[in-house]
Every structure is written in structure tokens, then in C-alpha cells.
Amino acid sequence: SPDILMVMNTPSYEKFIDTVVPGGVVVIDSSLISKTCERDDIRAYYVPATALANENDLHGLANIILVGKILKETGFTSYETVEKAIRKCVPAKKAHLVDANLRAIQIGMEQ
């Protein structure tokens, strides 16, 4: 069972919300999911990630915005580790996406 759940569509929310362990965290893209979490034994955060991605010309990076929110709320690792991971995972031919991904993380951390 997960300690942290990130959901970006209603079917996934409905399927997985009950799998989060008590004391866990769920981060919900409130641009795409209108449901509110009724569990009182987990922390739920609502971030309009898809809207934020579109407003900031970061199309397709709503998931990375949510990772930034998870980082802020849980401290599962350091920002430096996330930055290193992004730099390692983004292929050289798409290096321009490094800055966009880092901006998405920062936007998520501001929510």
C-alpha cells in the first residue's frame, strides 16, 4: 500500500484512494478531478496542475507540478536530488526540457 498517491483522473482516484495507508498523502489534479477526499486519516492536497501547466506554457508537465507538491508536503527527498534526476532522465537531444521540468517542480512547490 502506498504512503503517497498522485492522481490525475477520476477512475484512478476511485481505484486507488482506499489503498493509501493511514497517515499517507494524496495529491489530486483538481483541474481533472472534481471529487474531494472523504478520508480523514490521510492528507489530501488539491492542485490545479493541468491548468497551471497550461498557464505557464508547460504543456504535458502537470504530473511534474504534482511531484513538486509532493516534494513540498512530504520531503521524500531533497530538491537537489530531484534536479539531478531530471538532468539525468531528460535525454541530451531534449535538453531544453530540463528547465521546463525544473520550473514545473518549482510551481508545484509553491502550491
Side-chain angles (χ1 to χ4, degrees):
S1 294
D3 293 328
I4 301 169
L5 177 66
M6 173 173 72
V7 287
M8 299 184 70
N9 62 62
T10 300
S12 292
Y13 173 86
E14 291 173 348
K15 182 174 182 178
F16 296 111
I17 191 63
D18 291 332
T19 69
V20 180
V21 299
V25 170
V26 60
V27 177
I28 299 164
D29 186 340
S30 60
S31 297
L32 304 175
I33 300 170
S34 58
K35 291 184 173 284
T36 54
C37 182
E38 297 187 6
R39 289 184 57 183
D40 59 6
D41 62 338
I42 62 176
R43 291 181 290 151
Y45 298 97
Y46 304 89
V47 178
T50 297
L52 287 166
N54 293 339
E55 290 164 14
N56 288 279
D57 201 26
L58 297 171
H59 306 284
L61 294 179
N63 59 329
I64 305 302
I65 290 174
L66 293 178
V67 170
K69 179 63 172 175
I70 292 169
L71 178 61
K72 174 187 175 183
E73 299 302 340
T74 69
F76 73 92
T77 191
S78 68
Y79 174 82
E80 291 74 21
T81 298
V82 171
E83 182 177 353
K84 284 181 191 171
I86 288 171
R87 291 187 187 284
K88 183 174 182 176
C89 292
V90 174
K93 64 185 176 187
K94 295 189 177 184
H96 65 284
L97 294 178
V98 169
D99 287 343
N101 276 269
L102 293 176
R103 277 187 41 230
I105 290 287
Q106 290 164 346
I107 289 167
M109 292 178 72
E110 291 166 3
Q111 301 308 304

